Amino acid sequence: MSFLSIDHLTKTFPLLDENARRGDTFVVFRNVNFEIRRGEFLTMIGHSGCGKSTLLNIIAGFDRPSEGGVILEGTEVTKPGLDRMVVFQSFALMPWLTAFDNVRLAVRQAHRDWSKERIREWTQKYINMMNLHGAEKKHPTFLSGGMRQRVGLARAFAVEPKVLLLDEPFAQIDALTRLGIQEELVRMWGETRNTVFMVTHDVDEAILLSDRIALMTNGPDAELAEIVEVSIPRPRTRSTLIDSPDYIRIRNHILHFLVRGAKKAHHTGGVEVTSEQTGASSEPAISLEVAQTQT
Amino acid sequence: MSWNRRKLAERFGPYILSLVILGVFILVWESLTRPPKFDPTGKSEDDLTVLEFNGDIVRNEATGKYVYNPKKVLGIPGPGKVWEKAAEELGEAFVKKGANDHGIGLLVYYTIKRFLAGFLVGSVVAVFLGVLIGLSKPLFIALNPFIQVLKPISPLAWMPLLLYSVKDPVWTAIFVVFMASLWPTVANTAFGVNSIRKDYLHVATLLEMTYLRRLFLVILPAAAPAIIAGLRISFGSALVAVVPAEMLLGELGAGYLTWIEWNNLNISGVIFAILVVGVVGYILDYGFGKLASKFTYAEV
């Protein structure tokens, strides 16, 4: 039995344009099927509109699939819970609480039987791990984007969830700050070995952080094209990554996929791209371990 | 830090300007209300005797000429007269001279007590109602027509009905303040709760909060700025309502003082009472603002 199973998910939304009849729907993604191993960092990349954030919301329990289901350790996910903490693109920190209290609120909810002192110590530990020391008493409004997302990450990690869901966590953070916080996330993940599912647009970020990268074709009616194994040894830092030949190969492969996927989508309506057409076989210069998921 | 002229002007300029405006106002007030000189030309000896007998004029012993009786005020009293009255009233602020003649300090105390009782109860009910409506769309749609009809009714319009049903002026006055402080808070709270960012609610769900914790740890704090804004409007309208309520009901208070001084034809007293109402309102509003700033936050 796998740890987290995304089992043949399809999501449709009712069609709302003016010519639509009642009951008309459009498919965001179809038949997405993959598994995440315990302790694995899996990232999903795709163009806007491929439904990757919707997929993350379904795993979180905020949204329900139209077909298929999400199974975590043998139990189907139906509603949000502390075992699947989300780090939001918009940070979603409570502006009336200090950085410390934002984290403490989560710890308190996760451990209702703990003493005040123990909750405080636990919170402080994660505040320190995220290099937030000195900013504890500040309210989110007075923190930079990078610092805010550090609080968001500390809040999520402090709960020690079974799965950590990162929804484009660094999209609203400037490029230079992003580099620092990404490396901190790598270190944090190395210490805690949480299972992580991340959604992003950023190919470099995905390669730096992930064990495997799932590529989605363009939406609507998107499908999972392939899952790329990132065969670069850990610990990784941005400086060691740049010199790694694997890094360049993987990066080129993903960029080729994204660029070609966009072209195909433009000419055919975006439903014809399959894993065979976009896989490594069509690009002989690249030799990758590619896990074909569409069996 | 060295205090150069520019810094001093920036720091104290506005306050000096305030004092200047106050000075100009008092000067204009004084010049417009100077008592007129008595002119005896064209008046017979009999006329003068009648005027003196009525107390309108008095004979100056030294010069033998008639002047207007300084104890009988004609027209609007000047700042000096009001100041005298104020000094007299403030001197016996906490003295009870009779059943209906309490010192100004006591009157202000009654008004504040009445006002706070009505406002606090009204606000608690209003926030409760507002949260209920804000959380439930069907309830909002169902109750909205009633709120829209009730909202524009002047709180004083309720008074006859309230007086008839509760049969007690003390409680009627409190109820009028209660009615005045209800609707703005209800409307603002409902709006605030309804427009909470979905992110906060998502986090609450994610953290598996119970319904009560969700309400007290997320919904109320998130809606606090809107609730405070509503309370602030309610506060103003309740403060406006308390004065006429006291006048009409004859309940001892700062508003009642205005009316009793009018009945005494003591215009200095009326002006003093008006100033007292203003100062009391300012102090209450200042206190409320201080309190409110503890509960608001800056939006991210």
Side-chain angles (χ1 to χ4, degrees):
Chain A
M1 188 184 66
S2 58
F3 179 66
L4 177 64
S5 165
I6 315 302
D7 194 359
H8 297 92
L9 284 191
T10 299
K11 180 68 185 177
T12 58
F13 282 118
L15 207 56
L16 294 173
D17 65 63
E18 50 203 44
N19 300 322
R21 281 169 304 176
R22 183 184 286 261
D24 277 2
T25 57
F26 80 95
V27 180
V28 187
F29 52 78
R30 190 189 293 281
N31 213 23
V32 173
N33 190 38
F34 63 96
E35 282 166 3
I36 302 177
R37 297 186 280 262
R38 187 190 296 275
E40 182 180 38
F41 199 124
L42 191 140
T43 300
M44 179 167 273
I45 287 191
H47 285 284
S48 295
C50 76
K52 52 195 191 306
S53 282
T54 309
L55 184 74
L56 184 137
N57 279 338
I58 291 173
I59 300 176
F62 292 131
D63 209 340
R64 299 285 295 138
S66 308
E67 283 169 43
V70 175
I71 318 267
L72 175 62
E73 287 191 316
T75 313
E76 187 175 359
V77 164
T78 54
K79 59 179 197 303
L82 285 157
D83 55 349
R84 282 159 287 123
M85 279 299 283
V86 180
V87 175
F88 298 85
Q89 183 180 348
S90 58
F91 316 127
L93 301 175
M94 312 292 184
W96 57 90
L97 296 177
T98 60
F100 188 87
D101 287 343
N102 264 289
V103 180
R104 177 159 61 183
L105 180 66
V107 178
R108 209 167 61 183
Q109 284 298 118
H111 304 284
R112 300 298 298 277
D113 52 334
W114 282 12
S115 70
K116 271 197 169 138
E117 188 53 29
R118 187 156 178 215
I119 288 173
R120 202 194 58 74
E121 276 169 14
W122 189 263
T123 305
Q124 190 64 52
K125 182 176 131 196
Y126 280 88
I127 289 272
N128 294 347
M129 273 169 93
M130 232 38 239
N131 281 338
L132 280 162
H133 198 81
E136 296 104 319
K137 289 200 174 111
K138 287 191 182 149
H139 287 258
T141 320
F142 303 104
L143 296 174
S144 65
M147 291 298 265
R148 282 184 207 167
Q149 198 55 295
R150 282 197 176 89
V151 179
L153 285 165
R155 175 172 70 183
F157 272 105
V159 168
E160 296 190 315
K162 287 179 187 162
V163 185
L164 207 57
L165 303 168
L166 312 182
D167 185 5
E168 301 189 30
F170 309 125
Q172 292 195 16
I173 298 169
D174 68 88
L176 286 174
T177 315
R178 202 182 299 163
L179 301 183
I181 195 171
Q182 281 166 355
E183 298 208 344
E184 266 167 49
L185 179 57
V186 172
R187 187 178 46 73
M188 192 87 163
W189 180 79
E191 282 174 38
T192 59
R193 285 285 159 176
N194 273 68
T195 310
V196 182
F197 176 73
M198 179 169 83
V199 157
T200 187
H201 282 119
D202 185 334
V203 177
D204 289 332
E205 177 176 296
I207 299 172
L208 174 70
L209 297 169
S210 317
D211 295 317
R212 292 191 294 159
I213 300 172
L215 304 179
M216 291 288 277
T217 66
N218 280 358
D221 216 347
E223 286 178 275
L224 179 64
E226 58 173 294
I227 296 186
V228 177
E229 199 90 30
V230 182
S231 50
I232 302 170
R234 294 183 188 268
R236 300 173 194 157
T237 63
R238 200 161 286 274
S239 49
T240 61
L241 216 56
I242 294 169
D243 298 329
S244 157
D246 282 346
Y247 167 70
I248 295 163
R249 272 193 325 202
I250 295 168
R251 186 170 189 275
N252 280 343
H253 177 71
I254 296 172
L255 287 175
H256 273 292
F257 166 81
L258 291 173
V259 171
R260 205 180 308 119
K263 273 187 190 160
K264 271 232 160 54
H266 187 68
H267 291 305
T268 64
V271 290
E272 298 300 317
V273 184
T274 65
S275 59
E276 282 77 29
Q277 283 167 299
T278 56
S281 55
S282 64
E283 192 72 59
I286 296 171
S287 61
L288 280 169
E289 296 174 55
V290 173
Q292 300 288 347
T293 54
Q294 306 295 104
T295 48
Chain B
M1 192 168 60
S2 68
W3 287 89
N4 58 30
R5 190 174 297 182
R6 195 196 168 100
K7 268 186 191 152
L8 277 171
E10 268 175 19
R11 178 81 179 78
F12 296 109
Y15 300 107
I16 292 167
L17 188 61
S18 281
L19 286 176
V20 169
I21 290 170
L22 180 67
V24 169
F25 171 73
I26 288 175
L27 274 178
V28 171
W29 180 11
E30 173 66 31
S31 66
L32 289 177
T33 55
R34 288 204 74 78
K37 284 246 176 323
F38 181 69
D39 183 13
T41 46
K43 289 197 166 59
S44 66
E45 200 58 35
D46 282 351
D47 290 341
L48 290 173
T49 313
V50 170
L51 283 170
E52 190 178 12
F53 181 76
N54 285 342
D56 289 336
I57 54 174
V58 288
R59 191 201 284 272
N60 190 322
E61 296 298 334
T63 58
K65 287 189 177 153
Y66 285 106
V67 291
Y68 278 119
N69 183 355
K71 286 188 183 135
K72 197 159 181 175
V73 178
L74 297 166
I76 303 283
K81 283 275 186 299
V82 174
W83 178 253
E84 272 171 36
K85 172 72 179 173
E88 179 195 331
E89 288 285 350
L90 293 173
E92 48 194 34
F94 294 97
V95 180
K96 281 186 194 175
K97 281 197 239 164
N100 271 333
D101 192 0
H102 292 189
I104 182 68
L106 291 167
L107 294 183
V108 167
Y109 167 68
Y110 301 147
T111 297
I112 290 178
K113 207 168 69 172
R114 182 174 296 130
F115 169 82
L116 286 182
F119 177 72
L120 288 180
V121 176
S123 298
V124 169
V125 172
V127 169
F128 180 76
L129 209 61
V131 169
L132 222 58
I133 294 169
L135 285 177
S136 152
K137 193 91 189 168
L139 208 56
F140 177 79
I141 296 168
L143 290 179
N144 197 38
F146 299 106
I147 293 175
Q148 293 308 325
V149 171
L150 290 169
K151 202 166 68 174
I153 298 173
S154 160
L156 292 171
W158 292 101
M159 206 159 62
L161 190 62
L162 288 171
L163 195 54
Y164 175 74
S165 44
V166 305
K167 295 184 177 59
D168 177 28
V170 178
W171 284 101
T172 303
I174 292 174
F175 264 115
V176 167
V177 177
F178 171 85
M179 293 307 280
S181 46
L182 213 51
W183 308 116
T185 306
V186 170
N188 260 49
T189 304
F191 168 77
V193 169
N194 197 262
S195 52
I196 291 177
R197 272 177 56 183
K198 292 287 167 287
D199 278 357
Y200 305 151
L201 299 176
H202 275 160
V203 171
T205 323
L206 207 59
L207 296 179
E208 298 178 14
M209 288 190 181
T210 59
Y211 194 81
L212 278 182
R213 288 178 79 84
R214 187 186 171 90
L215 179 65
F216 283 103
L217 294 180
V218 178
I219 291 170
L220 283 178
I227 295 175
I228 299 278
L231 287 175
R232 192 133 216 179
I233 303 169
S234 286
F235 194 89
S237 90
L239 206 56
V240 166
V242 74
V243 168
E246 284 173 354
M247 282 188 191
L248 290 165
L249 292 164
E251 278 299 297
L252 288 178
Y256 168 78
L257 180 67
T258 322
W259 199 248
I260 214 74
E261 294 291 8
W262 164 244
N263 282 341
N264 295 340
L265 269 181
N266 186 341
I267 306 301
S268 302
V270 170
I271 294 174
F272 171 68
I274 289 170
L275 290 176
V276 167
V277 170
V279 171
V280 168
Y282 173 69
I283 291 169
L284 285 175
D285 196 54
Y286 181 81
F288 181 77
K290 282 271 166 205
L291 207 66
S293 66
K294 288 201 195 313
F295 293 98
T296 48
Y297 59 86
E299 189 65 59
V300 178

